[in-house]
């Protein structure tokens, strides 16, 4: 069999899996936006059938045979070629899928479904003991999963590799450690600073219909293409790249807060631009047509949300429009006061409501605890005590109850250990990429002030989006910025912003 034939067969098999996956995405999008409640049971059956079919097709031994042929061919000669990247990344995923025994996959699916239900009850009753046996079960299965995957160093590496291919705890921890120390220092400076933003400005009446108009016009200015995208309403906002020509985002509106929908929409539109910037016409179904990692995906959303959306030049352009739309709430407000309000920093219990400066501390805390649990250094029973102790150290406030502490996130009950670091990796990458974009385009902030965002978008497309999974995150970062990932660009960016706002 010629290598071309083998490669074509591999691609056509991967496309079939991707088509099934895109059907699942449409159903999943519908489930979270428009499906009537009564459709839940049928939808669960539909999605289970699709994922069963996908699994069957993707773990077909023929894929393994084709990969073995291709790994001996000239196609892998240049490791950065699209063919080599597709072969390498498909091998990675194929091995992952075929290494887990069927019995373990089923046990995990069943246990995490039940555990999520028990977690909801435990959180509602602020009762960690209720959740404890479930956390123990999920942890034991997760450790078995890591063993089945295999790893170097510690078992957490096998889990991290699920979300950030090739990334290790050694790399992550080195960066996170310094980041934590510097963030705690920054928070102390902010706490003792003389100035305080007036957050009540963004907590007034904000008509939902007008919020929608505003959000759409911001997404449009970013370059989110409504001919191949939609913006709908949901409870937990998300972005789904369904396939070529179809990328959808969602948001939720709070009539008494401007920030939620606005920055949520920018965040999801940032994810959407990445999906739209992938070369799916050519590479749909193959790793070259997919994002490099969850962390890189998050870097795109956070950049638009924070580096762009929470910058002053952005608001020099958009504030007059916001004032016209929300005359009663923003009419007499000064731009500087508004800018301070949307950048307010306040340590709080809940991760998903955290500001830019405290957000990463929430992540680092979770990462440290789940890593210790997987390693066997921390017993699930000791999680609340350890959580509260670290929370006090990092944030300077006492946790008042477990619902505001270690029971707040769904991840552990869902078996998603190894996922949390991707959020902070996203923030770190966003700052490092943005610093490089500023270096390449020194007048970028002036462009924002004039409502021009196309040059940033094209820069991202050219340097990041169009490469898909050609490079893994670590290599992509070096290719784009010339340096390995570091805490520095993010800390520099935050110091510049918050020292001005808080006057320290
Ligand atoms: Co995101």
């Amino acid at each position: 069999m010629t290598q071309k034939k083998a490669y074509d067969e591999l691609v056509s098999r991967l496309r079939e899996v991707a088509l099934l996956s895109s059907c699942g995405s449409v159903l999943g999008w519908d489930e979270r936006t428009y499906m009537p409640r009564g459709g839940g049971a049928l939808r669960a059956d539909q999605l289970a059938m699709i994922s069963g079919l996908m699994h069957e097709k993707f773990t077909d031994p023929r894929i393994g045979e084709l990969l073995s042929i291709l790994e001996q061919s000239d196609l892998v000669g240049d490791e950065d070629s699209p063919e080599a990247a597709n072969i390498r990344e498909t091998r990675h995923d194929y091995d992952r899928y075929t290494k887990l025994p069927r019995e373990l996959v089923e046990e995990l699916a069943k246990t995490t479904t039940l555990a999520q239900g028990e977690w909801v009850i435990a959180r509602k009753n602020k009762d960690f003991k209720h959740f404890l046996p479930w956390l123990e079960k999920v942890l034991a299965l997760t450790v078995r999963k890591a063993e089945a995957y295999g790893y170097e160093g510690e078992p957490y590496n096998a889990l991290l590799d699920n979300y950030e291919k090739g990334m290790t705890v050694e790399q992550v921890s080195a960066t996170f450690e310094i980041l934590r120390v510097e963030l705690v220092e920054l928070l102390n400076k902010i706490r003792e600073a003389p100035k305080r933003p007036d957050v009540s400005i963004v907590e007034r009446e904000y008509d939902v219909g007008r919020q929608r108009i505003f959000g759409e016009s911001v997404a449009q200015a970013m370059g989110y293409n409504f001919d191949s995208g939609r913006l709908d309403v949901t409870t937990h906002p998300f972005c789904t790249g369904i396939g070529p020509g179809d990328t959808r985002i969602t948001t939720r509106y709070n009539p008494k807060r401007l920030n939620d929908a606005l920055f949520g929409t920018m965040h999801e539109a940032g994810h959407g631009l990445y999906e739209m910037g992938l070369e799916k016409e050519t590479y749909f179904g193959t790793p070259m047509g997919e994002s490099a990692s969850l962390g890189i995906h998050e870097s795109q959303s956070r950049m638009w949300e924070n580096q762009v959306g929470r910058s002053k030049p952005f608001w020099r352009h958009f504030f007059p429009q916001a004032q016209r739309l929300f005359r009663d709430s923003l009419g007499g407000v000064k731009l500087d006061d508004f800018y301070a309000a949307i950048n307010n920093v306040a340590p709080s219990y809940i991760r998903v409501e955290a500001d830019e400066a405290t957000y990463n501390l929430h992540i680092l805390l979770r990462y440290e605890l789940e890593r210790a649990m997987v390693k066997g250094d921390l017993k699930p029973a000791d999680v609340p005590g350890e959580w509260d102790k670290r929370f006090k150290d990092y944030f300077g406030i006492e946790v008042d109850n477990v619902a505001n502490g270690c029971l707040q996130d769904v991840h552990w009950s869902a078996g998603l250990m190894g996922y949390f670091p991707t959020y902070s990796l996203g923030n770190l990458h966003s700052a490092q990429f943005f610093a490089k974009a500023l270096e390449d385009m020194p007048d970028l902030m002036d462009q924002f002030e004039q409502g021009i965002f196309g040059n940033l978008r094209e820069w991202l497309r050219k340097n990041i989006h169009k490469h898909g999974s050609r490079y893994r995150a670590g290599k992509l970062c070096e290719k784009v910025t010339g340096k390995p990932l570091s805490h520095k660009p993010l800390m520099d960016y935050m110091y510049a912003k918050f020292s001005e706002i808080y006057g320290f």
Side-chain angles (χ1 to χ4, degrees):
M1 170 173 228
T2 65
Q3 59 182 46
K4 168 141 188 2
K5 258 190 151 160
Y7 185 76
D8 290 347
E9 184 182 339
L10 179 70
V11 168
S12 91
R13 282 173 177 268
L14 293 178
R15 284 232 164 98
E16 285 186 8
V17 179
L19 280 173
L20 281 170
S21 166
S22 70
C23 294
S25 301
V26 177
L27 291 174
W29 169 83
D30 173 71
E31 183 178 23
R32 295 161 77 178
T33 49
Y34 296 108
M35 187 188 78
R37 200 182 316 178
L42 173 66
R43 186 55 44 90
D45 286 346
Q46 293 170 320
L47 286 168
M49 181 166 209
I50 287 179
S51 58
L53 286 170
M54 280 170 62
H55 193 268
E56 204 173 290
K57 277 192 182 289
F58 188 65
T59 55
D60 189 320
R62 180 67 184 151
I63 301 242
E65 283 168 32
L66 292 166
L67 285 170
S68 299
I69 296 169
L70 292 165
E71 281 159 348
Q72 304 301 319
S73 75
D74 304 340
L75 290 175
V76 295
D78 169 9
E79 63 167 12
D80 292 339
S81 72
E83 293 80 11
N86 281 338
I87 294 163
R88 178 187 70 232
E89 298 307 324
T90 304
R91 164 61 77 189
H92 175 278
D93 297 348
Y94 178 77
D95 283 353
R96 294 232 122 199
Y97 273 90
T98 50
K99 270 180 180 166
L100 292 190
R102 200 192 171 95
E103 156 269 323
L104 178 58
V105 174
E106 285 170 359
E107 186 77 28
L108 260 168
K110 213 171 73 194
T111 307
T112 52
T113 304
L114 293 172
Q116 287 175 68
E118 299 304 322
W119 165 75
V120 171
I121 297 168
R123 188 174 69 158
K124 195 166 137 253
N125 298 331
K126 306 182 174 60
D127 179 5
F128 182 77
K129 282 216 170 65
H130 183 87
F131 182 57
L132 179 59
W134 293 96
L135 181 57
E136 286 169 339
K137 277 182 211 163
V138 174
L139 176 64
L141 289 170
T142 304
V143 171
R144 272 187 63 202
K145 186 166 85 170
E147 298 297 338
Y149 283 146
Y151 53 84
E152 281 175 36
E154 57 186 270
Y156 193 85
N157 278 333
L159 305 175
L160 189 56
D161 193 65
N162 255 343
Y163 311 107
E164 289 292 327
K165 291 179 199 175
M167 196 77 86
T168 64
V169 278
E170 291 75 15
Q171 296 165 322
V172 172
S173 290
T175 311
F176 281 11
E177 280 284 301
I178 319 184
L179 182 64
R180 173 164 54 71
V181 173
E182 298 213 351
L183 282 173
V184 170
E185 230 170 83
L186 172 67
L187 273 191
N188 287 335
K189 287 209 165 76
I190 290 176
R191 195 176 298 120
E192 289 152 17
K195 291 203 256 174
R196 290 283 132 214
D198 173 10
V199 284
S200 75
I201 293 169
V202 284
E203 289 167 353
R204 296 173 178 165
E205 298 292 327
Y206 288 97
D207 178 76
V208 166
R210 284 166 181 255
Q211 283 195 52
R212 191 176 57 76
I213 293 168
F214 191 53
E216 280 176 2
S217 85
V218 168
Q220 196 116 41
M222 288 167 60
Y224 181 80
N225 178 358
F226 281 91
D227 287 334
S228 50
R230 296 182 53 89
L231 172 60
D232 294 274
V233 177
T234 189
T235 329
H236 300 287
F238 62 96
C239 164
T240 177
I242 290 170
D246 193 346
T247 297
R248 306 179 189 192
I249 57 173
T250 60
T251 195
R252 65 169 163 217
Y253 298 99
N254 180 343
K256 298 212 179 289
R257 260 177 74 87
L258 182 64
N259 291 11
D260 304 14
L262 176 63
F263 294 112
T265 301
M266 290 191 77
H267 181 100
E268 299 308 334
H271 280 305
L273 287 179
Y274 191 4
E275 289 293 322
M276 288 170 170
L278 293 164
E279 298 198 329
K280 291 189 190 180
E281 264 71 24
T282 315
Y283 296 120
F284 176 64
T286 70
M288 280 293 295
E290 285 153 17
S291 66
S293 78
L294 283 180
I296 298 298
H297 224 308
E298 192 68 4
S299 76
Q300 301 306 290
S301 56
R302 295 293 271 178
M303 186 186 298
W304 287 100
E305 177 191 352
N306 292 331
Q307 274 87 358
V308 181
R310 287 189 164 89
S311 73
K312 203 182 277 180
F314 177 90
W315 285 103
R316 284 209 184 95
H317 177 74
F318 274 109
F319 195 55
Q321 187 182 335
Q323 284 185 309
R324 280 195 299 278
L325 278 166
F326 309 108
R327 204 178 297 274
D328 294 342
S329 296
L330 290 179
V333 174
K334 285 205 217 77
L335 173 62
D336 281 353
D337 294 335
F338 177 78
Y339 171 70
I342 57 166
N343 281 295
N344 181 52
V345 174
S348 63
Y349 300 127
I350 305 297
R351 172 184 65 88
V352 295
E353 292 164 9
D355 55 75
E356 255 186 292
T358 56
Y359 190 86
N360 292 297
L361 284 176
H362 286 277
I363 298 304
L364 303 188
L365 170 72
R366 286 154 179 76
Y367 163 71
E368 290 160 10
L369 295 193
E370 66 179 20
R371 181 186 169 196
M373 272 196 280
V374 171
K375 218 173 164 185
D377 290 349
L378 175 66
K379 287 201 201 67
D382 298 330
V383 165
E386 195 56 33
W387 180 291
D388 296 357
K389 185 173 135 297
R390 287 183 199 229
F391 196 85
K392 176 89 207 315
D393 283 353
Y394 303 171
F395 293 80
I397 49 176
E398 305 264 2
V399 175
D400 55 353
N401 66 66
V402 278
N404 281 337
C406 66
L407 279 185
Q408 67 181 270
D409 289 307
V410 69
H411 299 59
W412 291 342
S413 66
L416 291 174
M417 290 176 180
Y419 190 106
F420 279 123
T422 67
Y423 294 114
S424 282
L425 290 169
N427 290 324
L428 290 161
H429 278 114
S430 76
Q432 191 155 333
F433 288 148
F434 193 72
K436 177 65 178 151
L438 272 175
E439 211 179 294
D440 290 355
M441 299 175 281
D443 66 337
L444 194 58
M445 298 316 256
D446 303 329
Q447 295 179 20
F448 293 173
E449 200 167 326
Q450 299 178 24
I452 300 167
F453 304 97
N455 293 322
L456 175 64
R457 186 183 65 249
E458 288 313 308
W459 186 92
L460 293 170
R461 185 162 290 173
K462 185 175 107 214
N463 288 293
I464 296 164
H465 303 172
K466 78 177 180 95
H467 294 300
S469 287
R470 185 196 299 266
Y471 314 115
R472 288 187 174 177
K475 191 165 172 183
L476 180 69
C477 182
E478 297 224 21
K479 285 255 173 205
V480 176
T481 69
K483 294 186 194 105
L485 185 66
S486 150
H487 68 288
K488 233 180 146 316
L490 182 63
M491 289 311 303
D492 288 349
Y493 154 77
M494 288 206 274
Y495 263 93
K497 174 189 271 191
F498 294 119
S499 61
E500 190 219 323
I501 293 173
Y502 283 88
F504 62 80

